[in-house]
Amino acid sequence: MSKSALVISGGGSKGAFAGGVAQYLVEETKQQYDLFLGTSTGSLLVSHLALNKIEEIKRAFISVTQDDVFDNCPFLVRKKGVLTRIKINHFNVLKNFLRGKKTFGESNNLRNLISREITIPYFEKLQKETQEVVICVSNLSSNKVEYNSLQESTYEDFIDWIWISCNYVPLHDFGD
């Protein structure tokens, strides 16, 4: 008996596109998977896909704004007609660095969104399923890719792994 895996990467819109492909595979072709593995945007989707909660994915993540992600946004987004211009908010980035942070912005709002969408009862239901759900993170400090299985996690750790997977830390301490 062969096993099958659904792997969804990140990259914002690329991960969202992969989510649409996954929706087609799950709903239209009735494909069933033994393993759901996601990184970055994919990590936001795999828990819902494992429980076939496609409409919840759409409700939760399709209309996410910068305010839903950042409590200290590193970007300035300006719309002029049909054009959208995105620039670095140097003031917010500097403010973060002066506070000793290693990221350009703070994404605590994203962590809150993730914990609202994947509640403790939702997590417990996932743990009872036969499919495995795994979150992938690139650990820049150790220069390794790390995997965290829902089956081996506490609720808080699992939420943190999803959150970490969705963040890019441009600076890290090479001395650690």
Side-chain angles (χ1 to χ4, degrees), residues 1 9 14 25 39 41 55 62 64 75 79 87 89 103 111-112 117 119-120 128 130 138 143 154 168 171 173:
M1 180 181 195
S9 67
K14 288 187 281 181
L25 293 172
T39 189
T41 305
E55 291 306 314
I62 283 185
V64 173
F75 306 111
K79 293 188 179 213
K87 295 180 178 182
N89 184 334
T103 58
R111 189 190 185 290
N112 293 335
E117 295 304 322
T119 61
I120 292 173
K128 292 176 185 168
T130 57
S138 296
N143 199 27
T154 65
Y168 174 69
L171 304 172
D173 185 356

Side-chain angles (χ1 to χ4, degrees), residues 35-54:
L35 169 67
F36 292 83
L37 186 138
T39 189
S40 192
T41 305
S43 72
L44 294 171
L45 308 177
V46 291
S47 298
H48 290 74
L49 287 166
L51 292 178
N52 199 19
K53 302 288 186 180
I54 306 294

Side-chain angles (χ1 to χ4, degrees), residues 51 120-131 150-151:
L51 292 178
I120 292 173
Y122 198 98
F123 174 80
E124 290 169 347
K125 184 175 182 182
L126 269 170
Q127 282 190 315
K128 292 176 185 168
E129 293 293 315
T130 57
Q131 309 99 317
L150 173 126
Q151 297 299 333

Side-chain angles (χ1 to χ4, degrees), residues 94-158:
L94 180 61
K95 187 168 58 173
N96 236 32
F97 289 151
L98 291 174
R99 291 180 179 158
K101 305 292 184 178
K102 296 180 180 182
T103 58
F104 292 139
E106 287 295 308
S107 66
N108 294 303
N109 291 352
L110 176 61
R111 189 190 185 290
N112 293 335
L113 173 64
I114 294 166
S115 64
R116 282 193 311 272
E117 295 304 322
I118 302 173
T119 61
I120 292 173
Y122 198 98
F123 174 80
E124 290 169 347
K125 184 175 182 182
L126 269 170
Q127 282 190 315
K128 292 176 185 168
E129 293 293 315
T130 57
Q131 309 99 317
E132 188 171 2
V133 177
V134 176
I135 305 303
C136 176
V137 172
S138 296
N139 185 331
L140 299 177
S141 295
S142 64
N143 199 27
K144 293 181 183 175
V145 175
E146 298 179 8
Y147 301 91
N148 182 277
S149 172
L150 173 126
Q151 297 299 333
E152 299 166 1
S153 292
T154 65
Y155 171 74
E156 291 296 326
D157 285 346
F158 190 70

